[in-house]
Amino acid sequence: MKPTHIEHIGIAVKSLNESILFYENVLGLKCYAVEEIKDQKVRTAFFMVGQTKIELLESTDPEGPVGKFIEKKGEGLHHIAFAMENVSKALTEAESKNVRLIDKTPRKGAEGLNIGFLHPKSTNGVLMEFCGKD
Ligand code: CMX
């Protein structure tokens, strides 16, 4: 397995609307999509920087993963997503190398991509996502 690039960086925020203003007015980026992912209990906003995206994450439920994260750690860097040619294969390979998985098989994430998470306790405290079309 080898990631082709960093697909996106996820940042947990309290308010999507307020945080979008920083990325648009200070960094001069354009929010090109806002999407709710019910399964993950988040609303997301996307910005393109080269071939990498910034994904702002606002929780829609205090018991969801981002709600719990903000409650515990406050706003901040939430996860890094690596683009993989085959997410299912990459997850299986990681597991075979004794990495603890959150998702044993891919599920659907933002923009219709297949996604799967590795547990931060297995990855130096950084939540990692594999994502891709296959
Ligand atoms: N980065 C690093 N560490 C994290 C973390 C994160 N984003 N989220 C939780 N943790 C740590 C906690 O600090 C905690 O560590 P300690 O035990 O040392 O205190 C540990 O993981 C367990 O955290 P918890 O608050 O008890 O929460 P849970 O175990 O219930 O869940 C996790 C943690 C990572 C399994 C869960 O957040 C998860 O399944 N995440 C994947 C899904 C997700 O994050 N979805 C939102 C993004 C969706 C998208 O991009 O489309």
Side-chain angles (χ1 to χ4, degrees), residues 47-106:
F47 305 83
M48 202 81 211
V49 190
Q51 65 173 346
T52 301
K53 298 162 191 162
I54 299 288
E55 178 188 35
L56 301 183
L57 300 152
E58 175 192 79
S59 180
T60 56
D61 179 344
E63 290 306 313
V66 172
K68 282 171 77 177
F69 177 87
I70 289 182
E71 175 66 29
K72 210 166 178 176
K73 299 191 180 186
E75 295 181 302
L77 185 60
H78 183 261
H79 67 269
I80 295 180
F82 292 102
M84 291 291 180
E85 273 170 14
N86 186 315
V87 176
S88 178
K89 260 194 191 163
L91 290 171
T92 305
E93 195 179 326
E95 192 172 37
S96 76
K97 292 177 178 168
N98 298 319
V99 175
R100 183 171 155 199
L101 303 184
I102 293 170
D103 300 301
K104 287 194 185 273
T105 54

Side-chain angles (χ1 to χ4, degrees), residues 8 10 37 39-42 44 46 55 57 63-66 68-69 72-73 77-79 81 100 102-103 107-110 115 117-121 123-129:
H8 66 263
I37 308 153
D39 177 46
Q40 301 285 323
K41 299 185 168 76
V42 289
T44 62
F46 282 97
E55 178 188 35
L57 300 152
E63 290 306 313
V66 172
K68 282 171 77 177
F69 177 87
K72 210 166 178 176
K73 299 191 180 186
L77 185 60
H78 183 261
H79 67 269
R100 183 171 155 199
I102 293 170
D103 300 301
R107 46 180 157 159
K108 282 288 169 201
I115 63 166
F117 285 91
L118 313 185
H119 201 284
K121 294 291 173 200
T123 52
N124 307 98
V126 177
L127 178 61
M128 282 185 192
E129 177 183 338

